[in-house]
Amino acid sequence: MSSPSTQGESWSTASSLISAGLARSSSMMGSIRTYGLTSLATVRVNKEALRVKLLIPQHIRLAMVDSIKNKDVDGGDRHFELVTSETITCPEAPMIIFINSRSGGRQGPELKDRLLELLSEEQILDLQEMDPNDFVRYGLGCLEKHANNGDACAKEIREKIRVVVAGGDGTVGWVLGCLAGLHKTSQEPVPPVAIIPLGTGNDLARSFGWVSAFPFSWKSLSKRILHRAANGPICRLDSWQVTLEMPASKAVDIPHTLKPIEVCEVDQSSETDEKAPQKVKCYEGVFYNYFSIGMDAQVAYGFHSLRNEKPHLAQGPISNKIIYSGYGCSQGWFLAPCASDPTLRGLKNILRIHIQKVNSTEWVQVPIHKSVRAIVALNLHNYGSGRNPWGNLRQEYLDKKGFVVANVDDGLLEIFGLKQGWHASFVMADLISAKHIAQATAIRMELRGGEWKDSFMQMDGEPWKQNLSKKNSTTVEIKRMPYQSTMISGE
């Protein structure tokens, strides 16, 4: 028998283990509540069965990777030539994962190690090393070539392949934009996309039922997310084309999401009291979440500039949000009423907005309240890390305003304003709704300087400083793309 002291030590050890177990359990439940993991917490996934369901046969995945590296759809032919067995089993849900190793406090390598337990290395692509356009053109092109040559497994994989993006909203939008190129070349079906959220806001992930952030402390989460990505239903997401036209004399550091174009196809049918400049610069891009002008874009611009200059300060979502909040205060968002007349900063001084409504090609001007300092055109239900500034509006109010219930696939953008001072803080705290301006199928914004030498804009979290001219307007036109993106629901 054990001595009393030994028994005491045993009880002490057992008590410590129980306390530790309870602490871990409490921590886990906290993570479940905090990150929106309730539905995933009940999922039980057999690791080996999931691997069989996702794993692409070796010769096919090697051929795809070689085609991408060589930028040639024929670059992986030798792997098909070496195959001797005719009893190759095709996976039920073949999967490719894109990881942005710079997102999530640069924890991409840790996530990749976990994913390698379920997938081959060739199915996990680092976006710092590989452009998703090359995957679309050469990786999928390799599958299509061999499918057309009679390879039944290559054909089945091309039809069933699903994509997971591990990164923030900007990363997801980048991949969606590359996959959208398949519509233009009639290479369908377009692979649907699931999300492992590693960014700061992760509003795209929230809007489609994925977790709000990825807690690295929950080691089984990657397995459960891939299970959901393999089985989740397909849904649709509107995409919106932005055309930016400005006087050629103005130099602007445009984000990579906007590409220069030679011919600017901005609709000139709306009323204007000025002559167009002889020379203009034109850019074009696509967004999925939101486009905004004003103070929120200025705060985002300051945050991104700091993160680029001092990346060690932004090592994860929590530190990012703290820095973001600091910029919100320092740039006068909350303290404007105390600092100066808020109407001096109102967008009404530099901006005019026209919209097109449902079933109409006529441009209608909408008024801007003098106190509005930021205007957002929103496609999703979420904005600013899960806020709902448009709000869940009652049917009576919708009928009164001529609005409809907002959805991500309804062909409409919700346009709202954020005013001076505490109005914005109450909106971001979900205590009140933002100032509703309109719902539109197309938007045209004209900006001209005066007392303002520049303004700030952002598109899906990519901000920039836009120089303004006193003589000629800078024009932003937003129109819905003729196709929708395919997403995988995480709910």
Side-chain angles (χ1 to χ4, degrees), residues 415-481:
I415 308 171
F416 63 85
L418 299 172
K419 300 190 290 186
Q420 79 279 7
W422 295 108
H423 173 260
S425 63
F426 287 151
V427 171
M428 298 308 286
D430 278 338
L431 297 175
I432 59 174
S433 298
K435 182 171 182 58
H436 302 122
I437 296 177
Q439 285 181 313
T441 60
I443 306 170
R444 179 181 169 88
M445 303 181 183
E446 298 173 25
L447 296 99
R448 192 192 298 187
E451 296 300 323
W452 295 33
K453 295 181 179 179
D454 50 52
S455 183
F456 292 85
M457 303 182 184
Q458 66 172 330
M459 188 168 80
D460 280 0
E462 295 288 336
W464 71 95
K465 182 190 287 188
Q466 181 69 50
N467 296 329
L468 301 179
S469 167
K470 290 185 178 181
K471 291 179 59 179
N472 300 114
S473 292
T474 293
T475 302
V476 177
E477 187 171 279
I478 302 173
K479 288 190 174 182
R480 182 172 175 264
M481 298 292 283

Side-chain angles (χ1 to χ4, degrees), residues 21-59:
L22 289 173
R24 285 193 297 269
S25 176
S26 176
S27 175
M28 179 66 72
M29 292 307 297
S31 295
I32 289 172
R33 288 190 294 269
T34 301
Y35 297 109
L37 305 174
T38 306
S39 60
L40 286 176
T42 60
V43 177
R44 296 293 178 264
V45 181
N46 182 286
K47 180 178 175 180
E48 291 305 317
L50 179 62
R51 182 176 172 83
V52 170
K53 193 170 188 175
L54 306 179
L55 194 63
I56 296 174
Q58 184 180 38
H59 72 285

Side-chain angles (χ1 to χ4, degrees), residues 278 301 344:
Q278 291 183 346
Y301 182 80
L344 296 178

Side-chain angles (χ1 to χ4, degrees), residues 102 104-106 303 306-307 310-317 319-320 323:
R102 295 180 60 186
R106 292 172 171 78
F303 168 75
L306 176 67
R307 186 168 62 175
K310 301 177 181 179
H312 61 279
L313 294 179
Q315 290 294 321
S319 60
N320 286 349
I323 296 171

Side-chain angles (χ1 to χ4, degrees), residues 316-381:
I318 295 178
S319 60
N320 286 349
K321 288 175 182 176
I322 292 173
I323 296 171
Y324 220 103
S325 298
Y327 262 101
C329 295
S330 67
Q331 306 241 5
W333 181 276
F334 298 107
L335 302 180
C338 304
S340 64
D341 181 357
T343 61
L344 296 178
R345 303 188 185 191
L347 287 176
K348 184 175 182 176
N349 297 316
I350 63 166
L351 177 65
R352 183 167 58 179
I353 299 180
H354 290 80
I355 67 168
Q356 288 181 356
K357 298 184 179 181
V358 176
N359 299 324
S360 174
T361 58
E362 180 183 354
W363 290 103
V364 179
Q365 185 171 357
V366 294
I368 304 172
H369 193 276
K370 63 182 180 180
S371 62
V372 169
R373 298 177 60 203
I375 286 180
V376 182
L378 184 65
N379 188 38
L380 302 182
H381 300 303

Side-chain angles (χ1 to χ4, degrees), residues 112-221:
K112 183 175 181 179
D113 288 341
R114 296 188 189 180
L115 295 174
L116 283 172
E117 298 177 7
L118 300 164
L119 292 171
S120 68
E121 188 170 6
E122 296 82 15
Q123 290 175 249
I124 304 173
L125 309 178
D126 190 338
L127 288 169
Q128 300 305 312
E129 302 173 359
M130 183 178 296
D131 190 322
N133 273 311
D134 291 339
F135 163 78
V136 171
R137 184 172 180 180
Y138 304 111
L140 295 182
C142 169
L143 284 177
E144 290 171 357
K145 171 191 170 179
H146 291 282
N148 292 334
N149 289 341
D151 190 298
C153 192
K155 181 180 180 181
E156 188 173 341
I157 289 173
R158 176 62 185 90
E159 293 173 349
K160 293 183 176 180
I161 195 167
R162 294 189 169 203
V163 169
V164 177
V165 181
D169 286 346
T171 303
V172 178
W174 181 21
V175 174
L176 287 175
C178 295
L179 292 172
L182 294 168
H183 288 287
K184 299 176 183 179
T185 54
S186 300
Q187 292 174 271
E188 297 178 336
V190 177
V193 174
I195 304 171
I196 299 177
L198 298 182
T200 302
N202 300 318
D203 289 311
L204 263 169
R206 298 170 196 266
S207 295
F208 286 94
W210 299 101
V211 295
S212 60
F214 188 88
F216 281 84
S217 59
W218 193 1
K219 293 186 177 181
S220 66
L221 182 58

